[in-house]
């Protein structure tokens, strides 16, 4: 089986500059921007610049350099928004994947949610 990547997904368009976004941070391998429908005071999406559908796709097929760059961007967003548990009050990291994960946009993204308590992990 091969992962199928939809070139017309909304995050691909953001990466191509076709749709504006509220960028928080960018490095060679990742872009972080605010979610259009924030669920907490801070709600940031971090996406890899490569064409990966899901976290498992990324884990299997991304290069070590891409993986390091992506993970570093997540840590840098936590520092930038003072969410790190070293200096701040913490956050929740979510990667919805596929049908059962209820993933809407088929380009890997993690949600970083913080600024207030995220409550219990799963409500229903
Ligand atoms: P998910 O269910 O994990 O695939 O969540 C997709 C998220 O993407 C959802 O919280 C809303 C956000 N989103 C969808 N379209 C856009 C957009 O055009 N811009 C931004 N900033 N966020 C978007």
């Amino acid at each position: 089986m091969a992962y199928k990547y939809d070139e017309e997904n909304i995050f691909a368009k953001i990466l191509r500059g076709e749709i504006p976004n509220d960028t928080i941070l960018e490095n060679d391998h990742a872009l972080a921007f605010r979610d259009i429908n924030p669920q907490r005071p801070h709600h940031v999406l971090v996406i890899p610049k490569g064409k990966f559908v899901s976290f498992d796709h990324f884990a299997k097929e991304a290069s070590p350099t891409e993986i390091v760059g992506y993970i570093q961007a997540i840590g840098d967003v936590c520092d930038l928004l003072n969410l790190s548990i070293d200096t701040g009050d913490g956050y929740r990291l979510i990667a919805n994947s596929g049908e059962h994960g209820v993933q809407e946009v088929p380009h890997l993204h993690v949600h970083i949610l913080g600024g207030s308590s995220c409550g219990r992990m799963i409500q229903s």
Side-chain angles (χ1 to χ4, degrees), residues 65-86:
T65 310
E66 287 176 304
I67 292 171
V68 168
Y70 185 59
I71 299 295
Q72 280 179 340
I74 294 169
D76 289 345
V77 169
C78 291
D79 280 347
L80 197 66
L81 299 180
N82 200 30
L83 301 174
S84 163
I85 62 166
D86 185 27

Side-chain angles (χ1 to χ4, degrees), residues 17-55:
E18 295 168 10
I19 292 177
N21 72 91
D22 188 0
T23 296
I24 296 282
L25 176 150
E26 182 173 9
N27 67 24
D28 285 348
H29 300 289
L31 180 70
F33 52 94
R34 292 200 181 274
D35 193 289
I36 203 167
N37 183 23
Q39 303 298 309
R40 286 293 179 277
H42 292 303
H43 187 167
V44 174
L45 302 171
V46 188
I47 67 174
K49 290 188 173 176
K51 296 173 183 176
F52 300 100
V53 178
S54 62
F55 214 102

